[in-house]
Amino acid sequence: PDAAGAGAIDGSASKAGLARADNFVKLEGTARLTTDTRTAEADVITAYLDEKGEKVQTMELREHSRITSSGANAERMTARNIDLRYGADGRTLQSSKLMESAVLEFPGANGGGSRRIAGTTIDTAMSPDGATVTNLTARENVQVDLPVEGDSPARRIRSATLRATGAPGQGIQNAVFEGGVDFAETRPAGK
């Protein structure tokens, strides 16, 4: 935890080890890390720490990887493997790389259905405060599912690649789909 006692990380696994000289912690066998806003789970989790061994710099989740959160950013990430990079504070997520069967789910507007992005790999970059995704690249077998919002129908977009950009505090605003793009809209019955 920080000096005020907040932000602690709770970890559990079948096996755990701390390599103090090499500044990393490894959890193996149903590994789980929980903070007040995020839970990370995988077969193996390795957290690489700063030179003082106090703050997480990067984290690797291997096999059956998933992260769920309650914050304004991605509410769920799943993939075979996930790599995370944190800011200088060791708590603020700065980027993620989801590899093999990657899925990101973002909260929908006003409590609506989730927005879902899937692909073989998905790379994201976050705003400096870690609150919003500002860059996203998805590759191979990309599928984006957008729920019904107000008068807008549900939409599904498939393509080979997706490159999306935005700004801190605003999130993704522009998206470019390339390679065999297929776009479909579905309206609820009676509309």
Side-chain angles (χ1 to χ4, degrees):
D2 62 18
I9 298 173
D10 180 48
S12 63
S14 299
K15 295 192 291 184
L18 168 63
R20 203 171 280 285
D22 294 321
N23 292 319
F24 73 87
V25 175
K26 189 170 199 171
L27 304 174
E28 296 182 74
T30 318
R32 180 183 179 107
L33 289 175
T34 305
T35 68
D36 30 340
T37 60
R38 217 175 253 132
T39 299
E41 299 171 285
D43 290 357
V44 179
I45 299 175
T46 306
Y48 295 93
L49 309 173
D50 64 6
E51 62 280 346
K52 293 181 180 179
E54 296 174 353
K55 297 177 184 174
V56 176
Q57 293 183 318
T58 61
M59 192 177 306
E60 296 175 349
L61 286 74
R62 296 295 179 257
E63 302 297 330
H64 306 104
S65 305
R66 71 177 163 265
I67 298 170
T68 54
S69 81
S70 58
N73 53 353
E75 64 182 26
R76 184 178 168 116
M77 298 180 189
T78 60
R80 180 175 180 186
N81 301 313
I82 300 175
D83 289 346
L84 306 170
R85 186 180 58 82
Y86 291 89
D89 64 358
R91 300 174 194 280
T92 306
L93 184 62
Q94 294 299 287
S95 66
S96 66
K97 182 176 185 80
L98 288 71
M99 299 161 280
E100 296 186 48
S101 303
V103 176
L104 273 178
E105 292 182 31
F106 297 92
N110 303 319
S114 294
R115 296 170 285 162
R116 183 179 185 275
I117 301 170
T120 300
T121 63
I122 301 174
D123 296 324
T124 67
M126 307 295 288
S127 59
D129 64 0
T132 55
V133 175
T134 56
N135 287 287
L136 182 146
T137 302
R139 294 176 196 86
E140 296 182 42
N141 302 313
V142 174
Q143 179 173 311
V144 176
D145 292 303
L146 303 170
V148 171
E149 288 184 7
D151 292 333
S152 296
R155 292 161 292 199
R156 173 169 285 166
I157 307 161
R158 293 183 176 136
S159 67
T161 63
L162 162 63
R163 290 179 192 7
T165 59
Q170 297 174 358
I172 298 297
Q173 297 171 335
N174 302 299
V176 175
F177 295 87
E178 295 179 320
V181 178
D182 179 50
F183 178 87
E185 290 185 347
T186 306
R187 292 196 181 275
K191 294 259 180 179

